[in-house]
Amino acid sequence: MALRTPVIAGNWKMNTDIESDLELARGILEQSDAVIGVEKIVCPPFVALASVSELLRGSSIHVGAQNVSANENGAYTGEISAAMLKGLTSHVIVGHSERRALYGETSGDVTAKAAAAASSGLRPILCVGEALEVRQTGNAESFVADQLESSLAGYSDWDALIVAYEPVWAIGTGEAATSDQAQEMTAVCRGVIQNLAAGAADSVRVLYGGSVNSGNIAELLEQSDIDGALVGEASLKADEFSRLIAAAGTV
Ligand code: PEP
């Protein structure tokens, strides 16, 4: 069994401005730069990528983007390509449920974005997760398996990939999945990877996301298929995000 380095990734969404992005990044740098044994990632909005990545350059904290275009270049007003992100970020979130629900991103779009990211040397953090109605009808496992399989159709850069299982009903609600539910579903994700690329299943990190905080992180990280967390709300406070990093690594 491969030893997988845990990942703690913060998605700041559209909650900050350039000044507060820098303050937050500075706080995380001070408190978490020295923590070892964990991959730390912050994902500020596009407008702050240059200043935050400049601030964190040479540190142990990686910078990710929250989205990327599937297209290489051309007449795509308002879009940002993977090539543009190169040098600023090492990671990029693709297929977050907010983008799927609010901007109509399909699993086909998500595959194309993940492939575009990986071919530019970026690591995609590919999100999947079921809505509450799906869970209530007992179909969460097959829904997420299908969603991940179709989001990875034709994808081949397994070394770069990080997967995040994020049940929609747990995002921003304060109601995290139980550690048993999260384990069950991250194992489903690993099973899909096993079917698509047997050799990769042991090494691809599968994260849990949805109302993770310093009170529930330890139990989640104890689960055998959970390799870390993608974090929204709790990533907006340097102290709280640093507690998550400390829980996953060695201080
Ligand atoms: C997210 O949006 O990816 C997320 C996990 O948010 P929160 O931690 O706030 O539930």
Side-chain angles (χ1 to χ4, degrees):
M1 162 97 69
L3 212 59
R4 298 184 291 268
T5 302
V7 175
I8 298 291
N11 174 9
W12 298 354
K13 307 191 186 182
M14 202 176 75
N15 288 309
T16 51
D17 56 25
I18 296 178
E19 205 177 312
S20 56
D21 284 313
L22 280 170
E23 197 182 318
L24 183 51
R26 232 176 259 121
I28 295 166
L29 181 65
E30 274 165 24
Q31 296 181 53
S32 298
D33 192 27
V35 181
I36 57 169
V38 50
E39 192 168 316
K40 313 149 203 170
I41 308 162
V42 294
C43 303
F46 283 128
V47 292
L49 288 178
S51 45
V52 169
S53 71
E54 183 58 33
L55 177 79
L56 297 178
R57 201 172 300 282
S59 80
S60 66
I61 299 160
H62 300 277
V63 179
Q66 299 175 17
N67 187 25
V68 66
S69 172
N71 297 299
E72 260 179 57
N73 56 35
Y76 301 104
T77 302
E79 290 289 282
I80 304 285
S81 72
M84 291 172 182
L85 292 175
K86 227 180 150 197
L88 292 178
T89 79
S90 49
H91 297 70
V92 58
I93 298 170
V94 294
H96 190 280
S97 63
E98 286 152 17
R99 297 218 54 92
R100 291 180 188 260
L102 302 173
Y103 303 100
E105 284 187 12
T106 64
S107 291
D109 297 330
V110 175
T111 319
K113 288 178 178 218
S119 68
S120 282
L122 304 176
R123 294 174 164 267
I125 303 173
L126 194 159
C127 305
V128 291
E130 81 287 359
L132 185 59
E133 310 82 79
V134 175
R135 177 153 288 267
Q136 283 169 338
T137 51
N139 296 323
E141 292 194 14
S142 60
F143 177 91
V144 166
D146 289 350
Q147 194 183 45
L148 183 56
E149 199 176 312
S150 48
S151 299
L152 287 172
Y155 182 84
S156 59
D157 198 340
W158 302 100
D159 285 346
L161 183 69
I162 297 173
V163 169
Y165 164 64
E166 299 205 300
V168 177
W169 47 271
I171 294 180
T173 61
E175 291 272 328
T178 65
S179 52
D180 284 349
Q181 288 170 325
Q183 163 56 29
E184 208 170 86
M185 298 302 291
T186 47
V188 167
C189 293
R190 200 173 302 287
V192 169
I193 299 163
Q194 169 79 35
N195 288 340
L196 293 173
D202 246 9
S203 54
V204 171
R205 271 82 55 85
V206 182
L207 316 184
Y208 165 75
S211 297
V212 172
N213 57 45
S214 56
N216 57 26
I217 186 75
E219 195 179 327
L220 289 162
L221 289 173
E222 275 168 21
Q223 309 307 310
S224 58
D225 283 295
I226 300 179
D227 303 317
L230 178 55
V231 185
E233 187 72 26
S235 72
L236 292 170
K237 294 202 174 80
D239 293 5
E240 178 67 350
F241 191 61
S242 295
R243 279 183 213 114
L244 305 183
I245 291 171
T250 306
V251 181

